[in-house]
Amino acid sequence: MAAIEGPADGLAKTLGFATAIQIIATAAALSLTAIVPLVVADVGLDVHFVGFQISLIYLAATLASAGAGGAIERLGALRVEQLCLFTFGCGLLCFATARVEGFVAGSLIVGIGYGWQNPAASQLLASVVNARTRNLVYSVKQAGVPLGGVIASLAIPALAVFIDWRLVLVLASIVPFAALAALRYYSHADDARRVGAGTARRSGFFIDQKILWADPRLAGLALIGFFYSVVQLSLSAFAVTTLVEDGAWPLVTAGAVAAAMQFAGAGGRIGWGWVADRIGGGMRVLALLGLLGGLGSLALYLAIDMAGWVQLLLFIWLGAVWLGWNGVLLAEVAHQAPVSQVGQATGAVLVYVFGGVIIGPAGFALVAAGLTSFSATFAVYSLCGFLGALAALRLDFSARPKEIEH
């Protein structure tokens, strides 16, 4: 395998691979959601099964994130990325069996890869990125999440029109396997420091969590990630329902608004990363996002009875904010942790981010049932934004004396 020629070349290669793997990861996780009507018709399941299937993926991802630091220590970040691609290909093949057991096994397998790939990618990026562009680099990588969702939503149903959906999933599995083959021709200096090559640090769920909570800034980032992911997934899950049920929008038009919201999220991820690098403060941007997201969620309660264009602009605003914070958060984790421990710290923080993903939509459904209004529930969830903003501001202010001393 050819070694990296230099820092700039290494950053371009690493970011390219990391973003591609993120796109593949998201597309694999959402592959069944794009063809639910075809799946339930052939397998005989209820249409609601996809909700449980997605929850199973994120549950496995949460558990995998808890052990990601140990996996990176034992195998190296690059080898873990290769294993992630292998899990995505195998998971898609499991889905193609069109059996309940295959759906369960595939969801668990894909979830493991989904939980490992972010810590591994963060570890690789940490050793080649510079402080001036850290937030932008991590945000570009995280833009792969909505892009993967768009690809899954467009490509898989389009192919399923012409060929059996099972075959579509088999063909889709070729992509991660091909990426795995390509990754074998890429080397990274960070992997020379894996455990097998020298003295290992101890790593595991309890050790990683102890390290996390011993560092107030990493612990604060974990809480911010939890608060923001609670709203993020609730917005993705209930945007269309809110427009249809509370705003009386036609289903197809509401779906188009949701798609625009996702594109705004992709642009927001890159844009907020750029802003964070320009002002030299990821914490400040995280605080701003919490404030803007909280205000936007409150505004939705009032705007649901306003003109359609007002609601459209508001959902684009919410998409840019609530779907756009992830890259800045991961960049801040990389900033706070020692370079050799970025993967370990990222895995520890993501336990809480994925926890918010699991809890958020379920809690939203319960609150909405009590309030009988989806827009009012978003107003309640605005509290998550304000709490996250306060936590980020506190962390930012606490760091300023230290920055002045240096």
Side-chain angles (χ1 to χ4, degrees):
M1 293 185 290
I4 296 173
E5 290 84 357
D9 181 65
L11 175 59
K13 287 182 179 179
T14 303
L15 180 58
F17 274 120
T19 305
I21 294 170
Q22 181 67 76
I23 292 172
I24 293 170
T26 305
L30 299 179
S31 57
L32 286 181
T33 67
I35 49 173
V36 170
L38 298 176
V39 174
V40 298
D42 286 350
V43 183
L45 293 172
D46 185 273
V47 70
H48 297 97
F49 98 95
V50 71
F52 298 102
Q53 184 255 335
I54 290 294
S55 295
L56 192 59
I57 287 177
Y58 279 107
L59 177 60
T62 303
L63 298 175
S65 292
I72 293 170
E73 281 295 316
R74 290 190 300 273
L75 304 172
L78 181 59
R79 187 69 58 82
V80 170
E81 287 278 55
Q82 292 172 330
L83 284 174
C84 291
L85 288 168
F86 183 73
T87 65
F88 301 143
C90 291
L92 287 167
L93 290 177
C94 288
F95 294 155
T97 63
R99 298 176 63 88
V100 174
E101 312 91 272
F103 295 153
V104 171
S107 298
L108 292 173
I109 293 170
V110 169
I112 291 171
Y114 204 90
W116 277 357
Q117 59 91 20
N118 260 320
S122 289
Q123 183 66 65
L124 292 175
L125 287 170
S127 58
V128 292
V129 73
N130 61 65
R132 297 189 308 275
T133 59
R134 181 190 297 110
N135 287 281
L136 179 59
V137 166
Y138 278 83
S139 295
V140 168
K141 183 261 179 187
Q142 285 303 113
V145 175
L147 291 177
V150 170
I151 289 173
S153 299
L154 296 178
I156 293 178
L159 288 172
V161 171
F162 301 101
I163 57 178
D164 187 271
W165 64 268
R166 301 168 186 81
L167 181 56
V168 172
L169 294 175
V170 172
L171 293 175
S173 72
I174 296 175
V175 177
F177 288 136
L180 171 59
L183 205 58
R184 290 180 60 83
Y185 294 95
Y186 169 73
S187 65
H188 195 285
D190 179 72
D191 270 32
R193 295 191 294 270
R194 63 180 181 267
V195 167
T199 303
R201 296 184 309 273
R202 297 175 62 199
S203 182
F205 174 73
F206 294 107
I207 294 172
D208 292 354
Q209 289 300 310
K210 184 177 180 179
I211 293 172
L212 172 71
W213 290 104
D215 186 330
R217 295 180 69 78
L218 287 177
L221 287 167
L223 288 175
I224 293 168
F226 174 80
F227 286 135
Y228 290 4
S229 63
V230 162
V231 187
Q232 178 184 25
L233 265 293
S234 298
L235 179 65
S236 295
F238 290 98
V240 172
T241 304
T242 300
L243 287 168
V244 172
E245 296 295 330
D246 290 4
W249 283 61
L251 179 61
V252 174
T253 310
V257 173
M261 183 183 74
Q262 293 290 338
F263 278 111
R269 291 186 183 218
I270 298 173
W272 294 120
W274 182 86
V275 170
D277 286 329
R278 297 287 76 74
I279 68 174
M283 288 296 186
R284 297 165 204 173
V285 170
L286 288 172
L288 177 62
L289 289 172
L291 177 61
L292 292 176
L295 292 174
S297 299
L298 280 176
L300 182 59
Y301 178 62
L302 302 175
I304 203 66
D305 294 322
M306 296 182 182
W309 66 269
V310 175
Q311 297 177 43
L312 171 62
L313 291 178
L314 182 55
F315 270 95
I316 290 175
W317 171 7
L318 291 171
V321 173
W322 283 128
L323 307 182
W325 56 270
N326 309 67
V328 177
L329 182 90
L330 292 180
E332 275 301 305
V333 174
H335 180 206
Q336 301 305 322
V339 172
S340 61
Q341 298 180 26
V342 168
Q344 184 179 0
T346 302
V349 169
L350 285 177
V351 169
Y352 300 92
V353 175
F354 286 133
V357 169
I358 295 172
I359 292 172
F364 190 98
L366 291 174
V367 175
L371 296 177
T372 66
S373 168
F374 294 100
S375 54
T377 305
F378 276 113
V380 173
Y381 266 43
S382 68
L383 182 62
C384 291
F386 298 136
L387 289 174
L390 287 174
L393 283 174
R394 181 181 177 186
L395 291 172
D396 183 48
F397 283 127
S398 68
R400 290 185 185 181
K402 184 184 295 186
E403 292 173 356
I404 292 173
E405 290 173 10
H406 289 293

